[in-house]
Amino acid sequence: MSATVFKLPDLGEGLTEAEILEWKVSVGDTVTTDQIIVEVETAKAAVDVPVPIAGTVAELFAEAGTVVDVGSPLIAIAAENAAPATAPDAAAERYREEERAGSGNVLVGYGTTETRRSRRRAAQPALAPARPAAAAKDEAPRVISPVVRRLAKDNGVDVAALTPTGPGGVILRRDVEQAIAGTAPPAEERRDAADVVRVPLKGVRRTMAEKLSRSRREIPDATTWVDVDATRLVKLKKRIAKADPDAGVGMLALFAAICVAGLRRFPELNAYVDTEREEIVRLPHVHLGFAAQTERGLVVPVVRDAHLLSLADLAAALRARTEEARDGRLSPSDLTGGTFTLNNYGVFGVDGSTPIINHPEAAMLGVGRIAEKPWAHKGKVRLRQVTQLSFTFDHRVCDGGVAGGFLRFVADCVERPEMLVSRR
């Protein structure tokens, strides 16, 4: 019986390494074709990696918490009647073919399946790999949700020490939350002799830090802002909710629709600067990004072809991306390729900000909280729902006239939402 070594596959999107979050198997376990063997975290997303052949786990080449380079040995599988040594290359070639074809399997290993695996679906079969009967009694409590696993890891909670309350001995989020109050600081944190806390900058947080730093270095940005009366937009949201409760159209969706309309009128802003060719590249499609705060840090999911979506479809896409972000199910393709970003920092209860552009995009709209304030309305001072809009733009792409025109259009749509359908 010979062992075949499988390496960490090419992750695409310029990613060159990944951290081992959790092995789903141990040495001696029996695995089946396409079984999820390990969960890894790249700089952009946490993903599951399957194995393309069946057999017995002979060796794991890296422990949990280790950062592994693409192309480095990951796992060795021993299989009876094993195929010739060319088998891994054939599997890898199928992976590369699917990557080129855009199958969606770029970050799930060697691409032996035809349909895209979400982390929620793929995690199920890997939770209970075949083990010897004697070992089953000593098996640690199971954690199905990646969010629960991450919550425990970030707060230094040993799930093996918890009493599961879920069906079948599953650790639930509430089990971890109840344990957090009595735990030490997160395991990744270190305290030096002066009691200074040091937290490694890695994964999503490192990627975001690098991106924001690059934006500040390369983009000569400028910011303009305006206060607007959002009373009528708030009323429109309530009317839509009453007319179609299932549509789920919230303020984020309304602002997203306004941004799309604004980019249609000011296409100069739906662009980026190609520094190598010294060109401004204007794009025909709107791939709308929006800032989302998650347990893993700040991410910017992208709704592709937002300009083709109805308001209801746009709202549904935003909800889906938000849920995927919070569950850690976003793939790198879900976090790249944006052409414009919407940042609703008002959810944090703040009025204003000067957003940093999401490199290499040319602009970002920021929305502050909507709060009741005195406002001149029809010749009298009344209490109205007021918000502040801030617009940061790449001054290489446009001048203040275009930026001001876009922001004024957005403000007008907020104050008079009927403009979304009455003007082209």
Side-chain angles (χ1 to χ4, degrees):
M1 187 165 63
S2 60
T4 301
V5 175
F6 292 96
K7 301 176 181 180
L8 182 66
D10 182 356
L11 305 175
E13 302 288 348
L15 300 172
T16 60
E17 63 183 21
E19 178 186 351
I20 304 296
L21 287 184
E22 179 184 2
W23 283 104
K24 308 290 186 178
V25 295
S26 302
V27 173
D29 287 350
T30 301
V31 295
T32 58
T33 301
D34 281 347
Q35 179 175 321
I36 301 302
I37 56 168
V38 65
E39 180 186 22
V40 302
E41 181 179 44
T42 71
K44 296 181 178 178
V47 293
D48 293 322
V49 178
V51 65
I53 67 170
T56 302
V57 177
E59 185 175 357
L60 305 179
F61 290 96
E63 297 180 354
T66 303
V67 175
V68 179
D69 293 331
V70 169
S72 296
L74 191 64
I75 190 173
I77 302 295
E80 294 185 9
N81 301 321
T86 56
D89 293 335
E93 180 58 30
R94 288 195 299 274
Y95 165 82
R96 288 190 289 270
E97 288 177 358
E98 291 194 349
E99 180 182 9
R100 289 193 293 269
S103 69
N105 281 324
V106 177
L107 277 179
V108 291
Y110 299 91
T112 57
T113 56
E114 296 181 358
T115 57
R116 178 177 180 176
R117 294 175 178 268
S118 74
R119 298 182 72 247
R120 180 173 292 173
R121 293 193 299 270
Q124 296 296 335
L127 290 171
R131 296 178 182 267
K137 296 179 180 179
D138 298 327
E139 189 170 354
R142 296 187 300 163
V143 183
I144 293 178
S145 169
V147 175
V148 174
R149 286 198 299 270
R150 191 67 186 180
L151 181 63
K153 179 180 178 181
D154 288 348
N155 289 276
V157 175
D158 180 8
V159 295
L162 300 181
T163 301
T165 62
V170 173
I171 297 292
L172 301 180
R173 184 187 184 110
R174 64 169 177 254
D175 301 327
V176 176
E177 289 176 340
Q178 289 174 358
I180 287 175
T183 62
E188 293 183 342
E189 295 183 0
R190 303 191 329 278
R191 293 180 181 270
D192 59 21
D195 207 30
V196 175
V197 178
R198 298 181 181 274
V199 182
L201 191 59
K202 61 182 181 179
V204 170
R205 295 183 187 278
R206 185 180 70 178
T207 299
M208 186 57 65
E210 291 173 349
K211 200 167 193 178
L212 296 177
S213 297
R214 184 177 181 184
S215 180
R216 276 287 188 241
R217 287 195 307 268
E218 296 183 7
I219 299 178
D221 59 340
T223 302
T224 183
W225 57 89
V226 64
D227 291 337
V228 296
D229 181 359
T231 305
R232 292 173 68 174
L233 190 67
V234 172
K235 290 181 178 179
L236 174 61
K237 171 184 170 294
K238 293 179 179 178
R239 289 198 298 269
I240 293 175
K242 185 176 181 180
D244 188 1
D246 295 331
V249 176
M251 295 305 298
L252 182 64
L254 289 171
F255 274 106
I258 291 173
C259 286
V260 171
L263 293 173
R264 187 180 296 118
R265 291 177 61 85
F266 297 91
E268 301 96 322
L269 296 167
N270 195 56
Y272 68 92
V273 174
D274 186 334
T275 54
E276 292 184 0
R277 302 180 61 172
E278 297 184 341
E279 295 175 340
I280 296 174
V281 183
R282 293 179 183 171
L283 302 166
H285 52 264
V286 177
H287 294 338
L288 184 67
F290 65 100
Q293 192 69 39
T294 72
E295 292 178 353
R296 300 174 62 241
L298 177 67
V299 295
V300 184
V302 176
V303 175
R304 299 190 179 277
D305 294 319
H307 61 295
L308 301 178
L309 302 179
S310 66
L311 179 59
D313 289 339
L314 186 56
L318 291 167
R319 286 198 307 275
R321 284 288 181 266
T322 300
E323 292 175 1
E324 291 166 353
R326 290 173 178 169
D327 290 345
R329 294 184 287 114
L330 291 172
S331 69
S333 62
D334 296 326
L335 296 167
T336 55
T339 63
F340 184 93
T341 296
L342 171 62
N343 187 353
N344 181 20
Y345 45 75
V347 296
F348 300 116
V350 298
D351 294 323
S353 176
T354 54
I356 300 176
I357 294 175
N358 187 27
H359 186 280
E361 298 169 15
M364 175 187 290
L365 179 72
V367 182
R369 63 171 178 163
I370 299 176
E372 198 173 53
K373 296 180 181 179
W375 189 265
H377 179 70
K378 295 183 178 180
K380 296 182 179 180
V381 176
R382 304 174 183 270
L383 289 177
R384 305 285 287 180
Q385 298 293 326
V386 178
T387 187
Q388 184 181 95
L389 306 176
S390 59
F391 183 63
T392 300
F393 63 99
D394 185 338
H395 226 314
R396 299 171 299 177
V397 169
C398 69
D399 56 22
V402 171
F406 174 87
L407 183 59
R408 190 62 257 171
F409 174 81
V410 170
D412 289 345
C413 287
V414 172
E415 294 185 336
R416 293 172 291 173
E418 62 272 13
M419 287 181 56
L420 285 173
V421 295
S422 64
R423 293 178 63 175
R424 301 293 180 187

